[in-house]
Amino acid sequence: MSTTEKHHFQAEIQQLLDIVIHSLYTDREIFVRELISNAADACEKLRFRQASGQPIYQPEAALTISITTDEPAGTVTIADTGIGMTHGELVENLGTIAHSGTRAFLKQLAENQRPDAKLIGQFGVGFYSAFMVAEKVTVLSRSALPEEAGWRWVSEGGAGYELEPAADLPRGTQVVLQLKADAKNFARGEEIERIIKRYSSFIQFPIELNGKRLNTVQAIWARQPGEVKDEDYHEFYRYVGHDHEKPRYRLHFSSDAPLAIQALLFVPQRNFETLGLGRVESEVNLYCRKVLIQSHAKGLFPEWLRFLKGVVDSEDLPLNISRETMQDSALLQKLNRVLTGRFLKFLEEQAVKDPAAYDEFYSEYQRFLKEGVVTDLPHREALGRLLRFESSALEAGKRTSLAEYVSRMPAGQKEIYFLQAPSRQAAEASPYFEGFQARKFEVLFLYDPWDEFVMDHLHTFQDKPLRPAEKADLDVSDAPGGEGALSAEAAADLAKWLKETLGDKVKEVRVSRRLVGSPAVIVDSDALMTTTMRRILRAAAREGAVPSPERYDLEINPRHASLVRLAQERQADPALAAKVAEQLLDNARVAAGLLEDPRAMLQRLNELLERVLGGAPAGQA
Ligand code: ADP
Ligand code: MG
């Protein structure tokens, strides 16, 4: 009776395999890196189990990764003495349950003209890279759990794989690749040696190739920053970051108090979230005295720093700590605070040292910093110092910090003003901006839809309130050009009449002191709400959120010719004046981006046009 079990690959894995086997021809050598990385992970896991005092099978077997090539047979074997896999783990890890990365990787492959196989490790599906070069993959594995047994897993990449018991296996895993006809070069020792040197020089475990020891173990983060060469950092980054580009920033530091920490952190060149990968997972590995505690450690940094890659090593961590207790330990929170504070300080230093480079970083990563302002109260102030915005005082494309803005503030200015707009052009043409221009007050221009919420959370900077331009109490009524304006009394009268005429469409009509060239603007009557936020809430409401009631105040410009004429027309032709009043309101709603259905307005506008051009009087059919 045969004890061989036949299993099917999960559909997405099958799809992935199909692409890996049939469409990936470049960078095939990375399978070596991926399988060695898995072997090293397995060794780390074993070391951890050992360190925490749990029983293991064959405790005397040293942790090594051995690679053997057999040119005549056309095979290459990657073996480790690590944690191994049980029957259940083989089924789960190698074929049944797709990692979340599978789908993301498939998507990346589908979208790119030239799929980038190098990224396969990034998506947590590195094992399958074996099928780029192998027509048959055999995995022999014996778990480190003493009571387990050995298993043989075999697949030719088709619909599934076979599993059967395998007797007398040493602890760990052997992956045997029967190479494809066009991949036989990987059965040559020299070729494999070259690839290992290229990708895997930092592996923490001895690597043997055909019986010969290859690398020396180097925990580069544990060395003095001055002693490490740039190339070594880049090699290391390539290895921990699964990224073939150079890192954008690197921070290597150690501290003794309040915690003993050695850290080597990298900021990738590109923001991977904008590459369509969805939310990235932190790729900082947590070590204690060079023993891996947790790869992709959760909680080590605040969520908004999830773009960081690298290593944190702390002697203060208890070795036998489990992942679960690690998650919310006070120690982890302390580590988080120290690391985050240090990284923020680093960014501030970089911004001073090389503003152009910082500006590029900002372009790529600003969303993360803003997320931090909103979600990370303890670091909000420091994050505020890192924000950059365009400003009315600078040419287009240049950004200022809030500190620089404050240093430019004239004596009479008490608040920091900002204006949310879709573009620079829109900001400069906005009725909310004209008063500031007249007063020569600087206004920050915010183009990212998140910005207003971010400012709202930041609230103040260096004790100066951050104020939306639309909510600013600005008085330009003494600016030149006021000849012929309505008297205070006439203006108040007109406002009263407008409120009566417009009824429930507005909450209040006020005489504005801030308008220069526009006849009227809308201001949200809710003191904490701006028209931009209102627009965002509306969009959210369409997606099912409960809409909040909308009420606006209308501010009118007593110096504007339209208003002056309207005050006269009110008596002469009440019907026409009422139409003009409605039109004024709609115009202001358009300027604020709050008019959703312009059809009613168009009809009225046409009537007014006819009237101007000498047609039938408005209001009469
Ligand atoms: P990742 O390494 O990112 O998790 P892989 O596709 O490379 O993704 O590997 C999938 C899983 O298979 C690993 O997480 C691990 O659980 C298991 N695995 C792969 N190779 C080995 C090995 N040599 N020893 C033990 N487990 C392994
Ligand atoms: Mg892997």
Side-chain angles (χ1 to χ4, degrees):
M1 198 186 83
S2 163
T3 48
T4 306
E5 309 165 12
K6 289 190 193 310
H7 291 260
H8 278 285
F9 282 124
Q10 197 252 17
E12 269 166 5
I13 290 185
Q14 211 174 318
Q15 212 180 332
L16 172 75
L17 277 177
D18 198 50
I19 296 174
V20 166
I21 292 168
H22 298 114
S23 337
L24 296 182
Y25 298 110
T26 56
D27 303 315
R28 293 199 299 181
E29 65 185 28
I30 61 105
F31 83 90
V32 177
R33 177 192 72 189
E34 293 304 327
L35 296 182
I36 289 181
S37 135
N38 285 351
D41 288 350
C43 290
E44 291 274 18
K45 285 177 193 161
L46 188 103
R47 190 147 82 174
F48 178 75
R49 198 178 153 80
Q50 207 162 25
S52 58
Q54 300 174 71
I56 51 175
Y57 182 64
Q58 295 181 342
E60 69 290 350
L63 285 170
T64 48
I65 301 167
S66 336
I67 296 143
T68 28
T69 56
D70 185 338
E71 221 175 327
T75 62
V76 54
T77 301
I78 292 100
D80 66 69
T81 51
I83 195 82
M85 281 177 275
T86 62
H87 177 277
E89 285 163 346
L90 280 163
V91 169
E92 202 167 289
N93 298 336
L94 307 183
T96 308
I97 298 183
H99 299 255
S100 60
T102 313
R103 192 174 300 136
F105 187 62
L106 285 170
K107 190 155 169 277
Q108 194 261 355
L109 289 175
E111 279 167 7
N112 283 3
Q113 294 292 340
R114 292 180 54 238
D116 194 350
K118 278 191 188 144
L119 284 174
I120 194 165
Q122 183 90 37
F123 292 86
V125 287
F127 171 75
Y128 302 101
S129 65
F131 288 93
M132 291 196 290
V133 296
E135 58 191 19
K136 180 168 144 193
V137 177
T138 306
V139 179
L140 297 157
S141 199
R142 169 58 168 95
S143 166
L145 299 175
E147 68 278 13
E148 287 291 337
W151 292 92
R152 180 196 315 274
W153 179 105
V154 185
S155 172
E156 296 183 6
Y161 56 92
E162 292 181 358
L163 252 187
E164 60 188 18
D168 302 326
L169 291 181
R171 184 189 73 216
T173 303
Q174 300 161 46
V175 182
V176 187
L177 308 186
Q178 179 65 53
L179 296 163
K180 293 180 186 176
D182 67 355
K184 296 277 194 233
N185 57 315
F186 295 114
R188 290 179 46 236
E190 302 89 320
E191 179 71 352
I192 295 293
E193 182 166 353
R194 179 189 67 77
I195 302 169
I196 293 173
K197 287 213 165 112
R198 173 144 185 214
Y199 293 107
S200 309
S201 358
F202 289 100
I203 296 291
Q204 300 289 304
F205 300 92
I207 298 183
E208 281 175 8
L209 175 60
N210 296 327
K212 185 181 114 201
R213 171 83 180 265
L214 282 187
N215 66 323
T216 51
V217 178
Q218 276 203 349
I220 176 172
W221 64 84
R223 290 166 54 194
Q224 285 303 311
E227 292 173 4
V228 185
K229 292 200 295 272
D230 271 1
E231 301 99 83
D232 296 341
Y233 279 124
H234 294 160
E235 285 290 327
F236 184 73
Y237 171 70
R238 231 168 282 162
Y239 163 62
V240 291
H242 304 286
D243 186 2
H244 52 276
E245 287 181 299
K246 284 185 180 177
R248 181 179 287 281
Y249 280 139
R250 154 184 104 223
L251 170 60
H252 185 184
F253 76 97
S254 61
S255 76
D256 297 325
L259 288 169
I261 296 174
Q262 290 169 316
L264 179 50
L265 302 171
F266 298 97
V267 176
Q269 206 57 242
R270 293 181 291 172
N271 167 357
F272 281 95
E273 289 194 359
T274 57
L275 292 178
L277 304 188
R279 197 176 173 81
V280 297
E281 289 278 333
S282 166
E283 277 190 68
V284 180
N285 301 328
L286 183 59
Y287 287 75
C288 172
R289 297 171 207 262
K290 299 177 200 166
V291 177
L292 183 72
I293 299 287
Q294 201 178 348
S295 63
H296 302 190
K298 287 230 176 347
L300 197 51
F301 285 93
E303 272 293 303
W304 65 269
L305 275 174
R306 61 189 175 277
F307 57 85
L308 286 179
K309 297 182 182 224
V311 167
V312 170
D313 194 320
S314 176
E315 291 182 13
D316 294 330
L317 291 169
L319 258 184
N320 57 355
I321 196 164
S322 78
R323 283 180 187 218
E324 290 69 35
T325 50
M326 191 64 216
Q327 293 275 350
D328 43 26
S329 77
L331 191 60
L332 187 69
Q333 286 168 25
K334 203 157 140 195
L335 255 180
N336 182 317
R337 244 190 343 269
V338 174
L339 291 166
T340 307
R342 185 63 186 83
F343 186 71
L344 282 166
K345 183 165 153 248
F346 167 78
L347 284 181
E348 251 186 278
E349 289 162 0
Q350 294 304 311
V352 174
K353 221 170 90 189
D354 187 347
Y358 180 76
D359 199 60
E360 276 179 36
F361 161 80
Y362 190 81
S363 297
E364 199 74 14
Y365 288 96
Q366 53 180 312
R367 277 290 178 97
F368 292 93
L369 302 181
K370 292 172 186 175
E371 183 183 324
V373 171
V374 175
T375 58
D376 189 356
L377 186 60
H379 299 110
R380 187 167 287 170
E381 205 182 313
L383 278 158
R385 293 196 288 272
L386 293 170
L387 297 178
R388 299 289 184 273
F389 300 102
E390 277 204 26
S391 148
S392 61
L394 304 179
E395 60 189 87
K398 294 250 180 298
R399 286 191 276 243
T400 179
S401 68
L402 293 171
E404 287 160 351
Y405 177 105
V406 169
S407 72
R408 285 188 293 263
M409 278 166 68
Q413 188 183 341
K414 301 277 180 279
E415 302 178 312
I416 299 170
Y417 299 114
F418 60 86
L419 178 60
Q420 178 98 43
S423 68
R424 176 132 192 148
Q425 242 184 342
E428 286 176 342
S430 163
Y432 302 104
F433 176 54
E434 56 192 39
F436 294 90
Q437 216 173 6
R439 284 295 300 268
K440 299 201 163 42
F441 281 173
E442 179 173 352
V443 179
L444 298 170
F445 293 153
L446 280 41
Y447 309 134
D448 183 346
W450 286 23
D451 286 341
E452 212 168 70
F453 283 108
V454 172
M455 291 302 215
D456 194 36
H457 279 83
L458 195 57
H459 203 63
T460 57
F461 183 81
Q462 295 181 359
D463 297 328
K464 310 263 185 304
L466 292 157
R467 179 83 55 208
E470 155 182 356
K471 296 286 184 189
D473 182 19
L474 204 66
D475 185 358
V476 294
S477 49
D478 56 352
E483 316 78 41
L486 294 172
S487 69
E489 201 183 332
D493 239 30
L494 180 64
K496 190 159 157 272
W497 172 82
L498 276 166
K499 167 62 189 154
E500 283 160 19
T501 308
L502 296 171
D504 276 348
K505 288 179 188 142
V506 288
K507 180 144 182 275
E508 200 182 302
V509 179
R510 278 193 299 272
V511 179
S512 175
R513 297 183 299 167
R514 66 157 123 198
L515 288 174
V516 181
S518 302
V521 284
I522 267 186
V523 178
D524 201 289
S525 65
D526 183 335
L528 297 174
M529 187 76 73
T530 66
T531 49
T532 310
M533 289 187 188
R534 191 62 79 181
R535 261 199 320 274
I536 293 171
L537 285 182
R538 270 193 187 178
R542 274 195 292 276
E543 280 162 25
V546 181
S548 57
E550 297 180 8
R551 293 307 288 277
Y552 306 112
D553 296 341
L554 184 69
E555 287 191 8
I556 56 167
N557 181 358
R559 296 136 54 97
H560 197 278
S562 309
L563 277 298
V564 177
R565 286 292 309 278
L566 182 60
Q568 298 159 2
E569 212 60 31
R570 185 150 73 87
Q571 264 92 33
D573 188 344
L576 174 65
K579 281 212 187 304
V580 171
E582 300 265 1
Q583 189 62 38
L584 266 179
L585 174 63
D586 276 353
N587 286 357
R589 286 163 72 189
V590 170
L594 289 167
L595 190 75
E596 269 175 3
D597 185 0
R599 280 172 295 191
M601 176 193 91
L602 277 182
Q603 196 183 343
R604 180 185 332 107
L605 198 53
N606 284 330
E607 285 170 20
L608 289 171
L609 280 177
E610 264 178 50
R611 171 75 194 234
V612 172
L613 298 173
Q620 290 174 28

